Amino acid sequence: IYMIFNGDSWQRTRAYFGNIDPANQYLKIYINTVNGSQVFNPNINMVQINGLTEKVLGELGIFNSNLPAQSIYIDSKNGKDTNSGTSEKEPLKTLYAASKKVYSPGSKILLKAGQEFSGSLTIIGTGKKSKPITVTSYGSGAKPVINARGGSAIETYGEYMTFTGLKITNKAGRAGITILASKPGASKGISIT
């Protein structure tokens, strides 16, 4: 049985039942895939196997910084979660669908202006100093509103994130935007305007 440490607590318990050759010095665990490619999750920095804790060493497959940046459009009125979300003509409908994607540096999450979105957005991925991940609006009209129903309206473990042009409410929850540290020390490059 192994668990993943997300910088705050142990979670995501997984069980592997199979024979491992005792002569092996390394155990390879695939954490996540996107289009068949391995993706680094910035939440992961330690693995616990049968109660023994080890730091994650080296690269976990292909880091999310190697994936192309993408713009994901969300339209609560005219979108569909079966759409690709990669254009204004094929927007997603819910924050839940956008939360299932992995975001690389330079990616944008765009909410349709003048609309309300219920629930929460979880951002998997991290930006770079020169290429932050941006959450903002598109189209004309009032700022899009995220009406969270508890927890956090937006949550991420990443760095170099920009949040602008949004209105956030969370009457039942504890937070608007939550930035959790993926490693010791401060999370860098967070801009909320």
Side-chain angles (χ1 to χ4, degrees):
I1 295 174
Y2 67 90
M3 297 192 298
I4 304 300
F5 188 73
N6 70 1
D8 181 50
S9 62
W10 291 100
Q11 55 186 268
R12 301 182 187 174
T13 302
R14 300 287 186 266
Y16 169 79
F17 299 99
N19 294 324
I20 299 176
D21 184 347
N24 285 344
Q25 295 182 20
Y26 303 98
L27 174 64
K28 181 184 281 189
I29 300 172
Y30 291 106
I31 304 297
N32 195 10
T33 63
V34 172
N35 298 327
S37 298
Q38 298 306 314
V39 177
F40 171 72
N41 185 333
N43 305 353
I44 297 166
N45 51 30
M46 286 189 285
V47 174
Q48 190 176 89
I49 303 172
N50 291 342
L52 297 175
T53 301
E54 291 292 335
K55 291 184 111 179
V56 172
L57 300 176
E59 297 184 4
L60 290 176
I62 299 172
F63 283 69
N64 75 319
S65 60
N66 291 335
L67 296 172
Q70 59 182 334
S71 293
I72 296 298
Y73 297 82
I74 315 170
D75 182 332
S76 64
K77 292 181 182 175
N78 302 307
K80 292 181 183 177
D81 284 350
T82 54
N83 286 344
S84 67
T86 56
S87 72
E88 290 185 45
K89 293 181 179 179
E90 286 214 3
L92 299 174
K93 183 176 184 67
T94 66
L95 299 175
Y96 175 77
S99 297
K100 290 161 66 170
K101 296 186 175 290
V102 175
Y103 297 94
S104 56
S107 292
K108 295 181 180 180
I109 302 170
L110 303 158
L111 285 68
K112 183 75 183 258
Q115 294 187 4
E116 293 190 10
F117 301 83
S118 62
S120 300
L121 173 66
T122 300
I123 302 171
I124 301 171
T126 188
K128 287 183 174 179
K129 187 173 184 179
S130 60
K131 295 180 178 180
I133 293 174
T134 302
V135 183
T136 188
S137 64
Y138 74 98
S140 59
K143 293 176 184 177
V145 179
I146 296 177
N147 288 320
R149 298 186 297 256
S152 299
I154 300 175
E155 184 170 292
T156 184
Y157 287 86
E159 294 187 308
Y160 299 104
M161 304 261 180
T162 298
F163 304 90
T164 184
L166 308 171
K167 181 176 180 181
I168 295 174
T169 66
N170 194 3
K171 294 178 182 177
R174 61 181 173 82
I177 299 173
T178 299
I179 310 292
L180 299 169
S182 60
K183 56 187 178 183
S187 294
K188 298 177 182 178
I190 305 299
S191 173
I192 302 172
T193 58

